[in-house]
């Protein structure tokens, strides 16, 4: 059948984009099929029933598209929003603000908010879902504000540094996997071997200070286990971390830390200048700014420090190298599309051969 002027115009002007042929999920006809149906009725005199049978739709559907074609032409074949022109029962804006305010400030659920405002809990839930704060995981737990995520555009633009602490493990294992009684016996045995005693002659096992460095863009991680968190130790870790990143083609430009004494020192600032790195600190009482490394510490604890029973501190310390390799090269990271951090380094050897 020879195409009419309407169909030629439609194919040239309105449906050149492939997306125009994709209708909503429940549509019986595509925009082009609607046009062909309407042309059969309007221009060729087919009855509604005959055209509907050909396209396997109801006669009233054929009438709808024919009437719309008569009124609007080819433009009337496109999808329309099913949203009503008016919504008399829609929640008022001032009520929405009250609901959102209670959610942000007090992190109340729909039932509690509904009780305070004297409305249905289902209405409150609908408002929260529409504002995308229906889950508490979508809200910053400390401040009640929506999460604001950021990411630097390339590797090396910003390094996060911090220190996390883990208690050393007595010979034979600690309380994370053993009973308290057995853990205490192990601690006493270790103290007899090392001679380390604290107040009231109690066994002193000690603490491991794990200095960590994370690249903001790639999430590539570097860590060292040290005996303290002093400025000289932190500076040494930073120098070795910068060299480690440089060996992987990453040039550090900035470093972000919290307001610990080591990072407030003049020596830390001088070390940054010596390495040509801008030293930055988070706002006081605002650990969310350094949230990437705080989250890494939780992953480090679950995946390495408390992953299994270690017979000694030395055994646990020896395992961190293998775990870091797994984290950087094999562990899928949800924040970067389910890929390991190393995949975000585009300048590794062999990538541009």
């Amino acid at each position: 059948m020879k195409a009419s002027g309407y169909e030629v115009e439609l194919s040239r002007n309105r449906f050149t984009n492939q997306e125009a042929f994709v209708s909503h999920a429940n549509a019986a006809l595509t925009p082009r099929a609607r046009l062909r149906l309407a042309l059969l009725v309007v221009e060729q005199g087919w009855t509604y029933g005959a055209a509907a049978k050909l396209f396997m739709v109801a006669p009233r559907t054929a009438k709808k598209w024919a009437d719309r074609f008569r009124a609007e032409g080819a433009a009337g074949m496109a999808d329309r929003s099913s949203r009503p022109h008016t919504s008399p029962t829609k929640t008022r804006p001032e009520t929405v603000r009250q609901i959102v305010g209670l959610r942000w400030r007090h992190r109340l659920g729909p039932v509690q908010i509904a009780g305070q405002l004297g409305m249905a809990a289902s209405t409150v839930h609908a408002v929260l879902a529409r504002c995308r704060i229906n889950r508490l995981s979508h809200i910053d737990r400390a401040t009640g504000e929506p999460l604001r995520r950021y990411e630097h555009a390339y590797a090396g633009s910003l390094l996060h540094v911090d220190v996390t602490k883990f208690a050393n493990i007595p010979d034979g294992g600690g309380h994370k996997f053993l009973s308290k009684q057995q853990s205490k016996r192990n601690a006493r045995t270790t103290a007899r071997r090392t001679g380390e005693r604290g107040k009231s002659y109690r066994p002193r096992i000690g603490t491991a200070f794990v200095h960590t460095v994370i690249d903001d863009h790639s999430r590539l991680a570097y860590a060292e286990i040290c005996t303290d968190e002093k400025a000289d130790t932190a500076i040494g870790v930073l120098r070795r971390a910068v060299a480690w990143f440089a060996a992987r083609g990453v040039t550090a430009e900035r470093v972000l830390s919290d307001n610990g004494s080591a990072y407030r020192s003049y020596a830390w600032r001088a070390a940054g200048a010596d390495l040509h790195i801008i030293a930055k600190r988070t706002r006081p009482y605002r650990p969310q700014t350094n949230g990437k490394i705080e989250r890494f510490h939780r992953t480090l604890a679950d995946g390495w420090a408390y992953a299994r029973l270690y017979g000694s501190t030395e055994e646990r310390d020896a395992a961190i190298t293998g775990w870091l390799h797994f984290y950087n090269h094999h562990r899928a990271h949800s924040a970067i599309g389910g890929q390991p951090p190393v995949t975000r380094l585009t300048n590794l050897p062999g990538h541009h051969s």
Side-chain angles (χ1 to χ4, degrees):
M1 182 177 69
K2 185 177 180 181
S4 69
Y6 284 113
E7 190 166 6
V8 171
E9 179 184 357
L10 185 64
S11 62
R12 285 179 181 177
N13 299 332
R14 187 163 184 81
F15 296 104
T16 53
N17 189 336
Q18 186 177 1
E19 293 181 358
F21 296 96
V22 180
S23 187
H24 63 83
N26 297 321
L29 301 171
T30 63
R32 175 168 287 180
R34 298 166 190 165
L35 176 63
R36 294 183 62 187
L37 185 154
L39 290 172
L40 291 177
V41 174
V42 176
E43 295 191 350
Q44 299 188 26
W46 285 41
T47 63
Y48 297 133
K53 185 176 182 181
L54 178 64
F55 287 88
M56 294 182 290
V57 295
R60 65 178 182 180
T61 301
K63 182 179 185 302
K64 178 184 73 172
W65 293 115
D67 291 344
R68 193 172 294 181
F69 178 78
R70 293 188 186 100
E72 304 178 25
M77 303 297 102
D79 288 331
R80 291 179 176 177
S81 173
S82 58
R83 182 177 180 178
H85 294 292
T86 60
S87 301
T89 60
K90 183 179 178 180
T91 307
R92 295 180 299 172
E94 52 270 25
T95 305
V96 171
R97 286 194 292 270
Q98 288 181 305
I99 293 172
V100 173
L102 290 171
R103 182 66 161 180
W104 283 4
R105 295 188 185 93
H106 305 290
R107 296 182 290 284
L108 300 179
V111 175
Q112 291 79 12
I113 295 175
Q116 290 197 22
L117 300 182
M119 55 195 308
S122 58
T123 302
V124 175
H125 181 270
V127 172
L128 296 177
R130 191 159 60 243
C131 296
R132 297 183 180 181
I133 53 174
N134 54 307
R135 293 185 180 274
L136 284 176
S137 59
H138 297 169
I139 299 177
D140 187 313
R141 295 180 181 180
T143 64
E145 298 178 359
L147 294 174
R148 295 177 179 86
R149 300 192 181 277
Y150 70 93
E151 181 181 278
H152 281 243
Y154 55 90
S157 177
L158 179 67
L159 299 181
H160 298 261
V161 299
D162 201 2
V163 182
T164 184
K165 304 173 186 177
F166 298 102
N168 286 337
I169 300 173
D171 297 343
H175 70 279
K176 286 289 184 179
F177 291 89
L178 304 177
S179 66
K180 289 185 177 180
Q181 292 78 6
Q182 183 61 50
S183 176
K184 289 180 179 179
R185 285 195 293 268
N186 291 345
R188 287 194 294 267
T189 302
T190 305
R192 283 194 294 268
R193 177 178 63 83
T194 62
E196 295 290 334
R197 296 283 182 170
K199 293 182 178 179
S200 303
Y201 202 64
R202 290 181 179 177
R204 185 168 59 190
I205 304 302
T207 302
F209 297 83
V210 184
H211 292 247
T212 53
V213 184
I214 293 285
D215 175 57
D216 184 274
H217 176 75
S218 66
R219 309 308 202 277
L220 203 67
Y222 175 89
E224 284 188 23
I225 303 173
C226 303
T227 57
D228 59 60
E229 53 183 339
K230 296 178 180 178
D232 291 342
T233 304
I235 291 169
V237 172
L238 178 64
R239 292 184 184 277
R240 290 185 289 274
V242 169
W244 184 84
F245 279 103
R248 287 151 183 79
V250 178
T251 302
E253 298 178 358
R254 302 173 187 83
V255 60
L256 179 66
S257 67
D258 59 19
N259 290 271
S261 59
Y263 306 123
R264 295 198 313 268
S265 65
Y266 292 109
W268 175 262
R269 190 182 308 170
D274 184 51
L275 293 169
H276 304 288
I277 296 175
I278 301 173
K280 301 172 70 68
R281 296 202 305 268
T282 62
R283 200 170 71 205
Y285 309 107
R286 184 71 183 181
Q288 296 89 340
T289 310
N290 220 11
K292 291 184 178 67
I293 203 164
E294 298 290 352
R295 182 60 180 87
F296 172 74
H297 288 167
R298 197 169 89 189
T299 302
L300 182 70
D302 294 339
W304 165 69
Y306 307 132
R308 62 182 180 86
L309 172 63
Y310 294 106
S312 65
T313 299
E314 292 74 19
E315 183 182 345
R316 183 188 65 186
D317 293 353
I320 193 171
T321 302
W323 184 84
L324 282 172
H325 175 82
F326 166 75
Y327 176 87
N328 288 326
H329 293 265
H330 304 287
R331 180 183 178 275
H333 202 302
S334 60
I336 55 176
Q339 298 297 319
V342 75
T343 59
R344 281 207 163 185
L345 301 187
T346 58
N347 49 0
L348 288 177
H351 277 211
H352 302 288
S353 58

